[in-house]
Amino acid sequence: LKKPEIKQLNKFFYTAGGVQTSVQMINGIITAINRYSYQVRIDKPGTYELGPIEINHHGRMLRSKAFTITVIREQESTKKEVPDESEALISMSTNKEQCYTYEPVMLKMRIYARGDVQQVQPQLPETKGFSGSNPIGPASGKTTLNGKEWDYHEIEMTLYPQTAGSVIIPAAICNYSVAQQARNQMEAMLQMFGGQQAVTKHMVSNALDIMVGELPYTKNPTKHVGTVSTFTTSVNQHEAQQGDAIVLKVKLCSTVDMSNVDLVLQNMPAELKQYHSNTSLQPMKKGNYNQTKTFEYIVQGLKPGKWIIPAQTFRFFNTKTEQYQTGGGGGGGLIITPGPLPQVGSHSEDGEGSAL
């Protein structure tokens, strides 16, 4: 069965808890039962309507009745643990709700706090079905929500979906502490001398649903999806003697998942010996999808002459043009001059040679 659709659910923060399948014998007939669970967070007291629930079963639309949920405040306690002025919120967002497989998606998690909130400890959401970059941040700032001023901390990371279909990013959890209000004179005196107690709380963010589409068909599939800013090939010198080391660099600046990029020199002349020396990756910066990966090779000329380093190529799916492209850049020409002749022996005056 396809996943059921719950109307009006997207008005609230929710996470999908998965499905449990069981088989029962009902009236002599074997019946399969799927139980779908969700966690829904509603922040304000009131009466809310959810549903109806719809599911397409063999072309027939099945529909339940709508149902209501009444949300009430926590019962007032004689021991008020958290002052009214202490509040915290957490939210997640992405820069796109639809993408291709392997296309970069920027995930932002922002924690808002005000009042006596302290020791904020966010946990990144599970990203099953994605590969991802290292988190960037947290970056801090101030903003205004609903007429109130908040401090916030923001964490960013880039995700690359690995499979097509509807992919869920589950809710993130954040633990935090709030200073406990003194309940009597003794506690007030202790707080004056650093004995202030704290109450540990936790909050849950919204979940996110990303619709991931298949890449267009091609005979030569690739996992490189995104845009390319620069792709260059360069050498540290264009003239050298036989056997001297020439540093050849291939630099790629792109939004593709760099963990999948491993460039190998192509179509190099047989007269130029080369081997891989080093690979470096420049970390992604906040608000910027581009990463720069540099591949270094050592090249040595085996014979004197003029040789051309051919253009190197990089094939990718351009998400702006929605077409497969091949970018490239050449390293130019090399002039290899004869090196010093190897000294294999010396001769004495009487014509006899002596080995070195």
Side-chain angles (χ1 to χ4, degrees):
L1 292 176
K2 292 184 178 180
K3 191 175 181 180
E5 180 184 0
I6 305 177
K7 300 294 185 181
Q8 306 185 79
L9 182 62
N10 58 4
K11 294 181 179 179
F12 311 103
F13 292 146
Y14 74 94
T15 58
V19 57
Q20 293 181 341
T21 302
S22 61
V23 178
Q24 296 182 10
M25 184 73 72
I26 301 177
N27 296 330
I29 299 176
I30 297 177
T31 303
I33 301 174
N34 287 351
R35 292 181 172 87
Y36 298 88
S37 62
Y38 299 82
Q39 289 183 331
V40 184
R41 193 187 86 192
I42 302 177
D43 296 325
K44 294 182 179 181
T47 300
Y48 301 88
E49 183 176 85
L50 278 174
I53 302 173
E54 295 181 348
I55 190 168
N56 191 318
H57 181 57
H58 297 299
R60 180 187 173 193
M61 184 62 70
L62 304 179
R63 183 178 290 105
S64 75
K65 294 182 179 179
F67 56 96
T68 59
I69 296 177
T70 301
V71 180
I72 61 173
R73 293 185 182 276
E74 285 187 41
Q75 293 182 354
E76 292 296 328
S77 171
T78 55
K79 297 185 294 184
K80 198 166 186 178
E81 296 180 327
V82 183
D84 290 337
E85 64 270 15
S86 298
E87 300 178 53
L89 297 170
I90 179 172
S91 68
M92 290 197 308
S93 63
T94 56
N95 67 318
K96 58 189 74 171
E97 296 179 352
Q98 294 183 342
C99 65
Y100 288 106
T101 49
Y102 313 117
E103 181 179 353
V105 176
M106 181 69 79
L107 172 68
K108 290 185 180 182
M109 182 172 69
R110 181 174 281 195
I111 300 103
Y112 300 89
R114 61 191 299 271
D116 295 329
V117 174
Q118 54 190 333
Q119 295 182 354
V120 179
Q121 299 176 335
Q123 300 176 20
L124 291 173
E126 293 184 7
T127 52
K128 186 177 180 181
F130 296 86
S131 68
S133 66
N134 292 326
I136 302 173
S140 301
K142 292 183 179 293
T143 189
T144 301
L145 292 176
N146 300 326
K148 298 179 181 179
E149 186 173 315
W150 298 76
D151 296 317
Y152 71 82
H153 307 281
E154 186 174 84
I155 299 173
E156 290 184 359
M157 64 185 301
T158 304
L159 302 177
Y160 307 90
Q162 302 297 295
T163 56
S166 178
V167 184
I168 299 293
I169 301 176
I173 298 174
C174 182
N175 297 321
Y176 63 99
S177 299
V178 180
Q180 182 175 343
Q181 191 177 35
R183 294 168 294 185
N184 51 53
Q185 187 175 4
M186 180 61 70
E187 288 187 356
M189 291 179 63
L190 288 173
Q191 289 180 6
M192 293 176 60
F193 294 96
Q196 191 173 30
Q197 295 183 345
V199 179
T200 300
K201 299 287 184 179
H202 75 275
M203 51 186 169
V204 181
S205 77
N206 55 308
L208 298 170
D209 190 355
I210 308 296
M211 185 57 65
V212 184
E214 295 275 8
L215 288 170
Y217 172 77
T218 176
K219 292 182 179 179
N220 300 312
T222 179
K223 292 185 177 181
H224 306 323
V225 178
T227 58
V228 173
S229 299
T230 56
F231 182 59
T232 59
T233 305
S234 62
V235 292
N236 67 329
Q237 54 187 357
H238 287 277
E239 184 173 343
Q241 290 184 339
Q242 285 177 266
D244 284 354
I246 301 169
V247 180
L248 169 64
K249 291 185 179 182
V250 181
K251 184 178 292 187
L252 174 67
C253 182
S254 174
T255 64
V256 305
D257 186 358
M258 287 297 186
S259 64
N260 291 325
V261 178
D262 187 15
L263 296 178
V264 178
L265 293 180
Q266 307 165 22
N267 305 318
M268 292 290 288
E271 293 79 8
L272 297 178
K273 178 183 177 181
Q274 74 278 339
Y275 54 90
H276 181 259
S277 174
N278 186 42
T279 300
S280 60
L281 179 64
Q282 182 178 330
M284 190 179 300
K285 296 181 180 180
K286 180 176 172 59
N288 188 351
Y289 299 99
N290 283 294
Q291 287 182 291
T292 300
K293 198 167 189 177
T294 303
F295 302 85
E296 292 188 9
Y297 302 86
I298 300 299
V299 177
Q300 293 174 305
L302 302 180
K303 294 182 180 180
K306 295 181 180 181
W307 313 108
I308 298 296
I309 296 178
Q312 302 302 302
T313 59
F314 178 73
R315 188 169 181 272
F316 67 104
F317 180 78
N318 191 324
T319 52
K320 287 188 176 180
T321 63
E322 297 192 332
Q323 303 226 346
Y324 291 96
Q325 290 182 212
T326 301
L334 289 181
I335 299 175
I336 304 299
T337 59
L341 293 175
Q343 190 173 5
V344 296
S346 62
H347 294 275
S348 61
E349 293 182 357
D350 57 7
E352 294 183 356
S354 60
L356 294 178

